[in-house]
Structures are given as C-alpha cells and as structure tokens.
Amino acid sequence: MNSVSISVFGDFRAANCDVVRFSDDLRSLLGESDINICNFEAPVKSSGLPAAKSGPKLDQSEQSPLFLMENGFNVVLLANNHMLDHGSTGCQKTIDSFKSIIAVGAGFPDEAYTVKTSFVKGKKIGYLSLCQHEFGVVESRDEDAIGVAWTGSLDVQEIIQEAKNSLDYLFVFPHAGIERSFVPLPQWRRLYKKYIDWGADGVIASHPHTPQGWEYYHDKPILYSLGNFYFDELTGDEYWNKGLMAELIIEKGAINTNIRNIRFDSTGLVTFDDCVERQNHNEYLNRLLNSNEEYNEYIDILCGKIFEDHKYAILRGLSGTTLRIRKKYALRLFALMLLNKRDPSAALNRFQCESHRWAIEYCLKKGY
C-alpha cells in the first residue's frame, strides 16, 4: 500500500516523563503511522538563564525527547512561546536532543525558517513550524539571534512558495491564538488560508490548550487548535486534558483527514476518547466556524471577557491605574505604583503578540 499516514498531536510538556503512559491502541497507531508529529512545548531543563518575558516560564525533563522518540515520534515542532524559557542555552540543548529526528522551527534564523523534509514511500514531505509574536521570536531570516520562526514574517510567503516547488506535500504548523478559546480570531483564519494560497497542503495549529474546530479550504485541511497532547499539570479548564489528533492519509494525490479525540488523566495515561460528549463538542466547534452569527457572537463575548486582563497588563507595564477596571486590578496597580515596580514586558506582550493586539483592537473599535 503506497498511502502515507501522518499523525499530528498537540502540545506536549512532561516535567516527569516517567509517569506518562500511552494506551495500547495509541501505541499501536504510533507504530503503524509513517510520520508522528507533536509540539514540544518547553525546552529541556538546562543551566540557561530564562529570557526576559511576560508569562510563565516552563521546562521539561531531559528524558522527554528520548521518551517521544522511543514511542515513534520522528518530527517535533519547536516554534512555540516557551522555547527560550531557558534562554539560548536551553533552546540549543533542546535542538541537540532531537538530532536523530526532524526538529522544526527553532535555532538561528537560517535553521528556524528552514522547511525540513522527509522522504516517505516515494513522497517528499515538508514541515514548517511557526509561532505568533511571543518572546523569543526572530522576525526574519536576516536576524542574528537564536529563537523561533514567526507566523507573520515577511519571509514566510517566499519560504512556502519556494519550498513547494521541490516538494510533493508541505504542511505548516502555527503555534498561535487565544488560550482556552473555542474558535480562532478572524485574522488567524485569513492568514492560514493565505498559507494554503501560497502552496501549503494543510495547516495544523496549536497553542490555545483546548481543541478548536476545523474546516477545509480548497480541499486542504485547516485545524485551528489540537489542544494539549499531554501537559503535566491539570487545571480546572474542562478541555485542558482533552485534545485532538489529526491523522492525515495521503493517497492517490488526495489528503484524507481523520480527527480523533484524545485525553490524559492525573495518572499520566494518554488514550483515545470516543465518548459521545466529545463528538457533540466537536460538532459545536465546527458549527461555530460555519455560522457567521454564532461565530461573531462568540468572538464578541471572548474579546470582551479578556479585555479587562489586557488593560491590567498594559497599565501594569506603565505602573498606572484607572477607575475603569475591576477593583482587584486597581488595588494591584496601586501597590505597584507605591513600590515603583514596573513590568514593561506585560505591556509589550499585549502589543507585539498578534492575538492580544487583535483582541484589544476589536474591543476598542466596539467602544469597550
């Protein structure tokens, strides 16, 4: 059989990979799939100093790369918002940990923006990993700094178009969006379709830590968020531990997509999840994408809810306060003013990260 099977999973982070276990049916799929891909959502532990940034700083076990490779993963995505959480040392150590397989999206610009390829059953397949404008992003191939490739770089169109000339198939993997949201912002939908216009055969995204819907554009799949594959800590979010797996079957020039639900629990077990509730939720996510009225209503509520957090972060960066935010935020800001403690990175992240900026712009235009 000449079909090529590609299994793509979401965000993986294991501070203690000794407890992580894959169910028998999941291990069987990994063994049968030609290509297994996941986003490696944090550098391995190292002595490197964390880069200055806003938000949590993460790392994971030095054994995590070996664990993934022993379980059949042969492509890892490194363009994410945590890859420089241990600075250049941690980033380079992580890249070096995957020398025996394909690691995409991180390094000095020439490497970070390189489309990595593999030959499978006579097909040349390419992978491009990109991240929204978080701390650690290098904006173009001309920069001289280690980091991760950017979704919005002016180089991306040329990279996709040039790469597709020598490839049979090209897949783009953005790490972007608003965390814990059920749908992508309109701008991400437009950009991912542009990737396909430029030559990509599919776009499979991560970062929101919850599944989002999917759609087809020119018969090419766009999955807006696979959610988490495995993440050590459990949160109170209903879908934090419930992700998606995208199985792409390339056969006779077509790409057939099979979406399966996965989940993990507090014991570290990762398994498929075929319950009716998950299927119903997936249908709801896709209905949101296909109904302009429901989609726009969701975006309106989403942006409105997070606008207070954005205002707080901006003012925190300036050590200012205002009566037009919630009392708890005003009290925090007043304490920061008394201590003369500014956090410019908190404000910077709201302006340079597209997801935050687009949400803020949306609310300001609405008069929030």
Side-chain angles (χ1 to χ4, degrees):
M1 187 174 182
N2 291 322
S3 64
V4 177
S5 59
I6 305 173
S7 297
V8 188
F9 298 81
D11 299 333
F12 180 89
R13 187 256 177 167
N16 178 15
C17 59
D18 292 338
V19 304
V20 186
R21 296 171 293 120
F22 295 157
S23 63
D24 290 342
D25 52 355
L26 178 53
R27 286 193 292 108
S28 177
L29 179 137
L30 291 169
E32 295 171 358
S33 183
D34 295 302
I35 300 168
N36 296 308
I37 304 172
C38 74
N39 171 56
F40 196 71
E41 177 81 349
V44 295
K45 290 182 179 179
S46 76
S47 59
L49 296 176
K53 63 174 289 188
S54 172
K57 297 178 176 65
L58 301 179
D59 57 34
Q60 52 186 316
S61 170
E62 293 177 88
Q63 300 304 312
S64 290
L66 180 61
F67 171 82
L68 289 173
M69 291 185 286
E70 287 181 341
N71 279 280
F73 284 87
N74 43 20
V75 177
V76 291
L77 312 171
L78 301 183
N80 61 65
N81 55 306
H82 290 290
M83 194 44 56
L84 263 71
D85 281 7
H86 277 271
S88 58
T89 300
C91 182
Q92 189 61 59
K93 183 176 179 180
T94 303
I95 295 170
D96 292 341
S97 297
F98 288 110
K99 283 293 186 184
S100 62
I101 65 170
I102 295 174
V104 198
F108 284 92
D110 280 345
E111 180 178 11
Y113 281 96
T114 294
V115 173
K116 303 291 181 71
T117 61
S118 59
F119 292 88
V120 184
K121 298 178 180 176
K123 301 290 189 294
K124 188 177 182 182
I125 302 171
Y127 320 94
L128 179 63
S129 176
L130 305 167
C131 182
Q132 66 185 8
H133 204 306
E134 301 274 2
F135 297 96
V137 158
V138 287
E139 296 184 357
S140 74
R141 289 178 289 186
D142 297 329
E143 289 192 32
D144 184 23
I146 197 169
V148 300
W150 177 33
T151 52
S153 173
L154 296 178
D155 295 324
V156 170
Q157 180 177 358
E158 182 181 6
I159 290 169
I160 291 175
Q161 291 173 335
E162 288 185 351
K164 189 58 192 295
N165 288 332
S166 63
L167 296 170
D168 294 300
Y169 296 93
L170 171 62
F171 297 97
V172 179
F173 303 92
H175 192 78
I178 294 180
E179 294 187 7
R180 300 169 174 83
S181 64
F182 285 169
V183 295
L185 292 172
Q187 292 90 337
W188 290 122
R189 297 180 74 178
R190 290 196 292 269
L191 181 60
Y192 295 174
K193 290 173 182 177
K194 279 294 183 184
Y195 290 164
I196 289 177
D197 287 337
W198 298 336
D201 293 287
V203 179
I204 303 98
S206 59
H207 179 65
H209 298 298
T210 189
Q212 293 182 349
W214 59 89
E215 58 186 330
Y216 294 86
Y217 178 67
H218 297 325
D219 296 323
K220 307 292 178 63
I222 302 177
L223 290 94
Y224 290 104
S225 172
L226 296 181
N228 288 330
F229 174 28
Y230 177 82
F231 228 88
D232 279 299
E233 63 270 14
L234 289 173
T235 71
D237 296 339
E238 184 178 3
Y239 290 96
W240 176 269
N241 65 323
K242 301 172 184 177
L244 300 175
M245 182 214 77
E247 184 180 22
L248 310 176
I249 307 296
I250 300 173
E251 188 173 19
K252 297 180 179 179
I255 302 172
N256 299 310
T257 308
N258 178 33
I259 310 298
R260 296 196 63 179
N261 300 307
I262 59 171
R263 65 176 294 143
F264 60 92
D265 61 27
S266 58
T267 71
L269 177 64
V270 187
T271 186
F272 289 114
D273 183 6
D274 297 321
C275 71
V276 174
E277 183 274 330
R278 294 292 305 278
Q279 300 300 333
N280 291 340
H281 184 65
N282 290 343
E283 291 176 6
Y284 165 67
L285 297 178
N286 289 333
R287 190 177 76 241
L288 286 176
L289 292 176
N290 287 287
S291 169
N292 286 335
E293 183 178 352
E294 289 186 83
Y295 174 76
N296 291 332
E297 181 181 356
Y298 186 94
I299 293 295
D300 188 69
I301 295 172
L302 170 68
C303 292
K305 282 183 177 179
I306 64 176
F307 191 49
E308 292 292 330
D309 293 324
H310 288 321
K311 285 196 292 185
Y312 167 68
I314 293 170
L315 291 169
R316 177 182 171 190
L318 305 174
S319 290
T321 188
T322 173
L323 296 177
R324 296 188 63 189
I325 61 172
R326 296 175 192 157
K327 183 183 295 184
K328 67 174 182 178
Y329 290 143
L331 293 174
R332 292 177 191 172
L333 290 168
F334 184 65
L336 290 171
M337 290 175 65
L338 291 177
L339 296 171
N340 194 28
K341 187 176 181 181
R342 298 173 63 241
D343 182 7
S345 64
L348 176 61
N349 185 242
R350 264 59 189 183
F351 290 106
Q352 71 177 7
C353 176
E354 303 94 307
S355 293
H356 299 322
R357 187 176 69 252
W358 290 335
I360 292 169
E361 289 174 353
Y362 177 92
C363 289
L364 291 176
K365 288 176 181 177
K366 287 278 188 175
Y368 280 73

